[in-house]
Amino acid sequence: MGTERPEVDHEREQVAPADAAPELVETPERADDAVELDDSRLLTDGGHDEPMPGVPDIGRGGEGGDDCGCGNSCGCGGRSRPDGDGPQGVAPDGGATPTNVDERGNLRDLEFTEPAEGESQDVYDTPADRRVQRPGEEDLALDTPSYEIRSRMNDIETPDEKTWFMELDEAVIDADRCIQCGTCVASCPSDSIGIGDDGLPELVEMCTGCSLCWDFCPRGGLRYERQWTITGGDDNVKGAGDPITEFSAKVEEEWREGAQDGGLVTSVLIHLLEAGEIDGALVATESDDDPWKAEAFLATTPEECIDNAGSVYNQTMALGNLNLAQWEHKLDVPIEEASLALVGTPCEIEGIRALEDFEWEYGSQEAGVRAIDYRIALMCTKNFNYERLMGEQLVEQRGIDLDDVGKMDVLDGKMLVYDRDGDLIVDEDVEQFHDAALKGCDECADFTGYCADLTVGSVGSSDQYSSVIVRTEQGLDAWNLTKADLDYHDLEDRSAIGGLQSWDKKRAFESLERPFDPDAPRFVDYTDHAEHYGTEVNPHDRGH
């Protein structure tokens, strides 16, 4: 439905310049006030005695000798046309004539620059393959995101309570202290942290500065000894802790030949699966591409547990693989309803325990964090970098063909390597492999996995048996499901476990730059850490 238009009195209609401001156009009150215009008067300034409403009085010589009276606002510069009639370069509509034509409209001689072939036009001072940074600073390569850009864009100081991934990178990863547990990946609510080709955490999306990656890192903001007391009580700080019970046990089934020591971990997982207590177990498997390189794997059947029995002496970034969407095809229940067991090193168990204590959302890892119902720690004094251990130490220095290796073990301070026939081919003090160890392991005082439900290892039991420490009611339930199919008895040598735990603590106390204090707050501020370790504060402000 339209609106009726009023009849127009063409005798009263006034013509005004199209670009005249509305407030400058006067509407005559009477018909005889209208101004009659013809085309000739629009083209010259000599056809009327008075200026048009809202249009400068050009060509009459204003004050100061300006030919058009514009005060140079039109760009004419007070220059007259060659015929002395109006300003040079000013068109009748008030615009300016092009600078590349003469007064008669003829095109002047032009010079053209030939475009470069096979390359982009360089229109910026900064090369296209470099990031923007402060003048005078060294160029930063594209493969490293620069946080200095953020600070330049908003021009504000980072609040003291905010800690960015760059702080974690500076203090832990670049400092060669990362233990590759993956807790930082699991904690990130924006999925900004991934796992690089080198097995280390890396930024894959813009960091939001939520501080969680720093807070939960066992070598960064997580005071791991405080987590012991929160999880297991004050008794977890002394000796080997105060567990519910301890055993030496071994599996009697034939598949134990391929397992580590007594095969206890594999047996527990099988019984949990068969009883319907869990839908899967996050374990380590050997890479299809690199012999003896560990990768995270979700075992959902007894057969898969058996196939992946044994130890692989490098980390899997286990907690960085809790995104259950990647395992959805293997689960018989919705992701949100899954129940899992986690087998990992003590630092990984510390990390998952801390994550579980808070109701924060952990991005794509959220369902995986909440799904962990059983936590099994492997006794550990140190772990190794894959390339340095297998490539440099075994292949290059000792001439070992990794395809011939059938089993590896660290026992009684020895690095033991067996071939596929069971023959011992390496038997050396583990300290000979110190250069291949993860440096951050030196700061760990948790040999026996204080935060676990079950701890399993070889120390304290005779050959072919595993030592089992039951620490929680949840661990006791898992033990009771399994024990009927085991050959077990009381732990043979508790002092051996306590002695090695004490040695591990002594080494940690010597390596830790910060105080070891189980009663202090659970989280260490980045500024406090930087004070003890000499780490740079706010490294993102210089472009990292």
Side-chain angles (χ1 to χ4, degrees), residues 278-327:
I278 60 173
D279 302 295
L282 194 63
V283 300
T285 190
E286 185 179 354
S287 168
D288 291 333
D289 302 322
D290 301 303
W292 288 92
K293 183 175 184 179
E295 293 179 351
F297 179 75
L298 187 70
T300 56
T301 66
E303 291 75 22
E304 287 182 335
C305 292
I306 294 171
D307 289 343
N308 291 287
S311 294
V312 185
Y313 286 93
N314 51 90
Q315 293 281 61
T316 66
M317 291 285 287
L319 301 189
N321 287 276
L322 286 176
N323 180 0
L324 296 189
Q326 66 179 315
W327 311 112

Side-chain angles (χ1 to χ4, degrees), residues 286 289-293 314 386-396 398-408 417-420 425-426:
E286 185 179 354
D289 302 322
D290 301 303
W292 288 92
K293 183 175 184 179
N314 51 90
Y386 173 79
E387 285 76 15
R388 294 200 294 258
L389 176 63
M390 310 307 292
E392 297 175 10
Q393 295 284 341
L394 293 184
V395 175
E396 295 178 11
R398 292 166 176 81
I400 303 295
D401 186 343
L402 297 184
D403 290 329
D404 293 337
V405 176
K407 183 179 179 180
M408 295 182 65
V417 181
Y418 302 84
D419 64 18
R420 296 188 179 276
I425 54 178
V426 174

